[in-house]
Amino acid sequence: MAMTNEQIARINELARKKKTEGLSEAELEEQTVLRRAYIESVKANFRSQVETIKVIDEKTGEDVTPEKIKEAQRKNGMRD
């Protein structure tokens, strides 16, 4: 799930408010939900980037991509 600019702005708004005047229970809960969604979004993006990597040995020109990544790529139809 990608975060929208509005969600990121809201995370920042709540962080500033927490430092200055504090947050209500509802705002604390909202902040927790938004932060968790942000973290999950970052993890999903990172996982997607890692799973598209192909590592080539400079000297031999061989594909030396770790088997775990190759398996993930096969699972996603990106590798034979």
Side-chain angles (χ1 to χ4, degrees):
M1 174 183 132
M3 294 290 293
T4 65
N5 289 336
E6 291 80 19
Q7 290 172 313
I8 293 171
R10 183 65 177 152
I11 290 170
N12 293 329
E13 179 184 333
L14 289 170
R16 283 190 297 276
K17 185 176 179 190
K18 184 176 183 179
K19 288 181 181 179
T20 59
E21 58 191 82
L23 299 175
S24 68
E25 285 299 317
E27 289 170 327
L28 283 171
E29 193 172 315
E30 178 185 9
Q31 184 183 46
T32 300
V33 169
L34 287 170
R35 283 181 172 174
R36 175 58 35 207
Y38 178 79
I39 290 169
E40 291 303 319
S41 175
V42 169
K43 286 168 55 176
N45 288 336
F46 183 73
R47 184 175 296 112
S48 174
Q49 288 178 355
V50 167
E51 289 178 352
T52 60
I53 290 174
K54 184 174 186 176
V55 183
I56 304 295
D57 185 305
E58 286 182 15
K59 295 177 184 172
T60 65
E62 290 182 45
D63 181 358
V64 293
T65 305
E67 193 57 39
K68 189 172 182 177
I69 293 175
K70 287 181 182 179
E71 288 174 22
Q73 291 170 343
R74 284 185 199 103
K75 183 177 136 187
N76 293 324
M78 298 167 29
R79 192 180 275 269
D80 296 329

